Amino acid sequence: VSNQCGTYNSEADCYNREHTWPQYYFNSGMPMSTDLHHIYPTDGWVNNKRSNFPYGVVSSTSWTSMNGSKTGTSTTYPGYTNDVFEPIDSFKGDLARAYFYMSTRYESEDTSWVNWEMATGAELTPAAITLLLDWHHADPVSQKELNRNNAIYLLQGNRNPFIDYPEFADCIWGTGDCTSLSINDKKIEISMSLFPNPTHQSIQWTITPGNKVES
């Protein structure tokens, strides 16, 4: 806490909190402003450089941080000529899943939200979907992300389902086959052990995941 930003003059001065979905675009509304699933501790100077720029793939760099995050022009969004912000590879998937969460969590609570290159209200734009799915696939869920999701659940009482079930992103925005199946439609897979064998009075058995058993 002693290194939390009040003011900053350069990179590594202090940290602050970054709303990955900029507050401006949801009018600093609640509970979005305090939703931990899209809030990260960031370097204050780098956060300032990110501003309210959309995420994107930088084609011509105007600024680079110490760890490799950068701003610059991009072809990610057709017709958009301002800068984008590109984080380092190890956080691209994290941020993509934060956006998938925000889009679904607030789908029916976005009437006052401001449209921008990444979303119309809470609905992701086609260009943003393409970008975020790429990042989601390239940077799979890590242990640090699982730990963070668990910690947020203890504090906030809800989870980011795209961390628990990454395939949901392709079900909704990609080409994943997520047709619902009832329990009766699914094949049970078990492996059974019986012991002792042979036996005279009693027998014990254990069942573990394994070979398919057809009914």
Side-chain angles (χ1 to χ4, degrees):
V1 176
S2 61
N3 291 326
Q4 188 172 358
C5 287
T7 59
Y8 44 79
N9 297 306
S10 61
E11 196 168 349
D13 277 355
C14 56
Y15 78 90
N16 61 12
R17 64 177 194 167
E18 156 75 336
H19 292 80
T20 64
W21 194 299
Q23 292 193 77
Y24 173 80
Y25 295 115
F26 55 80
N27 288 309
S28 300
M30 294 291 290
M32 294 74 76
S33 285
T34 56
D35 192 326
L36 295 173
H37 285 297
H38 84 119
I39 298 174
Y40 288 81
T42 54
D43 182 286
W45 184 258
V46 178
N47 192 6
N48 175 62
K49 289 291 187 179
R50 189 263 165 127
S51 185
N52 288 342
F53 294 148
Y55 292 120
V57 176
V58 171
S59 55
S60 179
T61 303
S62 58
W63 174 84
T64 304
S65 73
M66 292 179 184
N67 75 344
S69 298
K70 52 191 173 183
T71 60
T73 58
S74 173
T75 59
T76 302
Y77 306 97
Y80 176 76
T81 58
N82 208 340
D83 280 357
V84 301
F85 184 87
E86 182 176 350
I88 58 176
D89 292 346
S90 61
F91 274 94
K92 286 178 176 176
D94 306 49
L95 299 176
R97 288 179 281 275
Y99 268 60
F100 295 150
Y101 165 86
M102 290 291 287
S103 182
T104 52
R105 166 63 182 86
Y106 296 107
E107 181 180 12
S108 61
E109 301 176 39
D110 63 347
T111 54
S112 65
W113 289 28
V114 177
N115 299 338
W116 61 313
E117 287 69 33
M118 295 198 73
T120 302
E123 182 179 353
L124 297 172
T125 61
I129 290 170
T130 298
L131 173 78
L132 296 174
L133 281 177
D134 284 347
W135 288 4
H136 173 63
H137 296 146
D139 176 30
V141 174
S142 64
Q143 188 61 51
K144 68 175 170 60
E145 203 174 350
L146 292 169
N147 294 344
R148 173 182 159 85
N149 200 28
N150 291 335
I152 291 175
Y153 173 73
L154 295 177
L155 291 169
Q156 191 166 283
N158 74 329
R159 305 181 65 83
N160 182 339
F162 300 99
I163 295 173
D164 293 326
Y165 302 99
E167 63 271 22
F168 283 0
D170 286 305
C171 294
I172 297 171
W173 294 285
T175 57
D177 180 8
C178 298
T179 305
S180 297
L181 294 176
S182 68
I183 292 176
N184 292 333
D185 292 329
K186 295 184 178 179
K187 295 179 179 178
I188 300 174
E189 298 187 6
I190 62 171
S191 177
M192 183 182 297
S193 299
L194 301 175
F195 56 92
N197 185 15
T199 185
H200 298 289
Q201 293 182 340
S202 63
I203 194 167
Q204 295 179 320
W205 60 318
T206 59
I207 298 176
T208 57
N211 299 326
K212 292 183 178 178
V213 175
E214 303 287 350
S215 59

